[in-house]
Amino acid sequence: MRNVRTSLAVLAAAAAVTVPFSARADVVTQLSVRTGQSMVLRAPSLTRVAVGDGKIAGVYPIGNSELVLNGKAPGRTTLFVWTTSGRHSYDITVLEQSLEDLRRMIQSSINDPTVHVDSFDHSIVLAGSVPTGERLVQLSDIVARFDPVVTANKYTVVNAVTVAQPLGPLENELAADKATAGVHVDRDLKGNLIVSGTIPDRTTAERVLARVRALGGPYLAIDGKVIDRLESSTTSQVNVKVYILEVDETALRQLGVNLQSATFQNSASGSTYTLGSAQFPVVENPVGPGQALKLGSFFRTITLAPTLNLIITSGHGRILSSPDLVTMPGKEANFLVGGQIPIPYASGPSQIAIQYKDFGVQLKVTPTILGNGGVETVIAPEVSDLDFQDGVTISGFTIPALKTSKLSTDVITKSGESVVLGGLLRRVEQRNIDKIPLLGDLPILGKLFRSTRYQSSQTDVVFVMTPEILTR
């Protein structure tokens, strides 16, 4: 009768939680129970039972088919159950009542079926996954509101929730486009975004990188970067067609100010354009040095080609050079029309070395392909001339100075459009002395047998550049 009363008391203290029996004997089953609560374990054909620490958990057999597990004190122990089918192991965790209450509060506040909250010893662990990074930020904000309770009870909250699609909107956008369906975006341990995959051309690559920079901001670290690992099916280069012209002061004064103000008229006899008070016919296929300037579209104005053609054919300008610079996107291309002058310098005690300095007309261009098909070009032209008047004389040799005009700009054009840069003035002053040999060198009387002529000229070097994307 005493055994019956004991069994009834144990059953009354047990909670209405029944744990199914583990059929596999080699699997360790994880169980958790709060202090003062119990659970029922099914154990068909029970033969023997043993618990590691009876002060943490108490085990009471009910017949030969069930066990009652009772949580006594916070801690962790092991339970072994022998049946006719073998030995079965359980890892028992007994939690304090307050920790379990906190776990249930956090679980109810999250209200997300994909995220589950577990409690172990003095820690609460959030595990699972959420669809987007925005949802993870919301989840972290909810958990942060429990910080005062967690700190007061010396608990620890571990947020192990992951994002199923770290770049959800961006990945969906890339997958919807056939050209970017094979592009992948991954985040490394340093907070960088690595963009990889195969794309048809460089223009598409730049468009993809621009979208990653726009939508990937929340996933980048403070010093994170977007790393380009894209592979292009074709090779894209930029061909920069350059025409360098030298125009005189007449062209600058009469034609340069009217470069953007020409008007066109169409009639039965042909087309004409007006610059100021003068009218000129529109030449469709001009002959001469200016023909090259008629090719292609020009930036911001359709009057550029005939105006420059007029400058050349009228003798107020000439082409200094017309190179084609082909370079990879983001790589600098440069050329020089001029020469080099030797400049001595001290390389050591009683040692003189020579360094050569470039002078003349120089141009450095660095084109970059944009995602919309345009070309961004960093342009740095420079015009320099030798200046013997301000030179330095060393050991009887005169080292000339350099008169330099240079500028740097960054422009964006469509492929095939042109940009014009001017304002690099060249001023040349010459003094020519004509004299009769020997007599012209006599002191005082020599002035009677020689004459001096002074010449001064001013020209403007104009750069016309046309970046064009070449895809092979």
Side-chain angles (χ1 to χ4, degrees):
M1 181 64 67
R2 180 179 179 182
N3 291 337
V4 174
R5 284 197 294 266
T6 302
S7 299
L8 291 175
V10 171
L11 288 174
V17 178
T18 303
V19 179
F21 179 68
S22 176
R24 295 182 57 183
D26 58 340
V27 175
V28 179
T29 304
Q30 303 287 337
L31 296 177
S32 61
V33 63
R34 290 181 295 173
T35 56
Q37 291 188 347
S38 302
M39 65 173 56
V40 178
L41 305 179
R42 296 186 182 277
S45 303
L46 175 66
T47 59
R48 190 169 42 147
V49 63
V51 64
D53 191 344
K55 296 181 180 180
I56 296 177
V59 181
Y60 305 94
I62 306 298
N64 60 352
S65 61
E66 291 181 333
L67 292 172
V68 174
L69 176 65
N70 183 27
K72 293 183 177 180
R76 191 172 181 178
T77 186
T78 304
L79 172 65
F80 297 102
V81 178
W82 284 268
T83 64
T84 55
S85 59
R87 188 187 70 181
H88 306 272
S89 304
Y90 296 87
D91 189 1
I92 308 299
T93 302
V94 179
L95 307 173
E96 292 184 7
Q97 185 74 23
S98 57
L99 181 63
E100 179 62 19
D101 292 340
L102 180 60
R103 183 199 69 81
R104 296 173 69 177
M105 291 171 59
I106 295 177
Q107 180 75 72
S108 61
S109 300
I110 294 174
N111 194 23
D112 192 330
T114 62
V115 178
H116 53 88
V117 184
D118 298 317
S119 52
F120 300 95
D121 197 7
H122 283 72
S123 300
I124 296 178
V125 180
L126 286 76
S129 63
V130 291
T132 62
E134 289 79 3
R135 177 55 183 158
L136 181 61
V137 173
Q138 295 176 359
L139 182 67
S140 301
D141 182 65
I142 294 175
V143 175
R145 298 177 185 273
F146 291 90
D147 285 345
V149 179
V150 172
T151 304
N153 291 275
K154 298 182 179 180
Y155 296 145
T156 302
V157 177
V158 179
N159 189 352
V161 179
T162 59
V163 181
Q165 290 183 324
L167 301 173
L170 178 59
E171 292 177 348
N172 295 334
E173 180 178 333
L174 297 177
D177 190 349
K178 290 184 179 180
T180 59
V183 176
H184 305 282
V185 183
D186 302 298
R187 191 175 188 270
D188 63 7
L189 297 178
K190 297 182 179 179
N192 300 317
L193 294 181
I194 302 176
V195 186
S196 60
T198 303
I199 39 86
D201 50 46
R202 193 62 207 173
T203 301
T204 305
E206 294 298 332
R207 186 175 75 247
V208 171
L209 295 174
R211 293 303 297 163
V212 172
R213 295 186 186 98
L215 299 178
Y219 314 103
L220 281 169
I222 296 177
D223 56 347
K225 300 178 181 179
V226 176
I227 302 176
D228 181 8
R229 293 289 185 268
L230 293 171
E231 181 180 356
S232 178
S233 302
T234 58
T235 301
S236 297
Q237 295 178 302
V238 180
N239 178 28
V240 183
K241 297 180 180 179
V242 183
Y243 299 99
I244 306 174
L245 301 96
E246 187 179 47
V247 296
D248 59 17
E249 188 175 357
T250 301
L252 290 176
R253 184 173 60 252
Q254 297 182 359
L255 299 178
V257 295
N258 295 320
L259 190 61
Q260 307 286 340
S261 60
T263 57
F264 283 79
Q265 296 88 24
N266 294 321
S267 62
S269 60
S271 300
T272 61
Y273 63 94
T274 303
L275 286 173
S277 59
Q279 283 191 348
F280 303 93
V282 176
V283 182
E284 299 295 340
N285 297 299
V287 178
Q291 182 176 2
L293 298 176
K294 297 283 290 182
L295 302 178
S297 57
F298 286 86
F299 182 52
R300 293 183 60 185
T301 173
I302 60 174
T303 67
L304 176 61
T307 302
L308 295 179
N309 182 67
L310 176 62
I311 292 175
I312 295 173
T313 56
S314 62
H316 295 293
R318 62 190 180 96
I319 295 180
L320 298 179
S321 181
S322 57
D324 281 5
L325 305 178
V326 180
T327 182
M328 296 296 294
K331 301 295 183 180
E332 181 185 279
N334 59 79
F335 78 98
L336 167 67
V337 178
Q340 293 182 324
I341 57 173
I343 299 177
Y345 67 95
S347 60
S350 302
Q351 294 181 355
I352 300 296
I354 299 298
Q355 180 181 9
Y356 288 88
K357 176 69 174 179
D358 296 334
F359 73 94
V361 179
Q362 304 180 61
L363 177 65
K364 297 179 180 180
V365 293
T366 306
T368 304
I369 299 177
L370 302 180
N372 59 0
V375 181
E376 179 182 6
T377 310
V378 178
I379 307 171
E382 179 178 333
V383 177
S384 57
D385 291 298
L386 300 180
D387 183 9
F388 288 91
Q389 183 178 356
D390 297 326
V392 178
T393 302
I394 300 177
S395 302
F397 296 94
T398 300
I399 302 173
L402 290 177
K403 291 183 177 180
T404 304
S405 298
K406 60 182 177 180
L407 61 88
S408 178
T409 185
D410 189 349
V411 296
I412 297 177
T413 61
K414 294 182 180 179
S415 178
E417 287 186 341
S418 298
V419 60
V420 180
L421 292 180
L424 298 177
L425 300 180
R426 301 182 68 181
R427 294 183 178 89
V428 179
E429 295 180 356
Q430 296 180 342
R431 186 180 66 174
N432 299 324
I433 299 177
D434 297 330
K435 63 181 179 178
I436 299 175
L438 299 179
L439 296 179
D441 297 327
L442 294 175
I444 302 175
L445 296 178
K447 296 181 179 180
L448 301 176
F449 301 97
R450 66 172 180 260
S451 63
T452 304
R453 290 179 301 159
Y454 293 91
Q455 293 181 348
S456 177
S457 63
Q458 176 177 303
T459 59
D460 191 355
V461 179
V462 177
F463 293 84
V464 181
M465 283 156 288
T466 308
E468 184 179 3
I469 300 175
L470 303 178
T471 301
R472 296 184 177 88

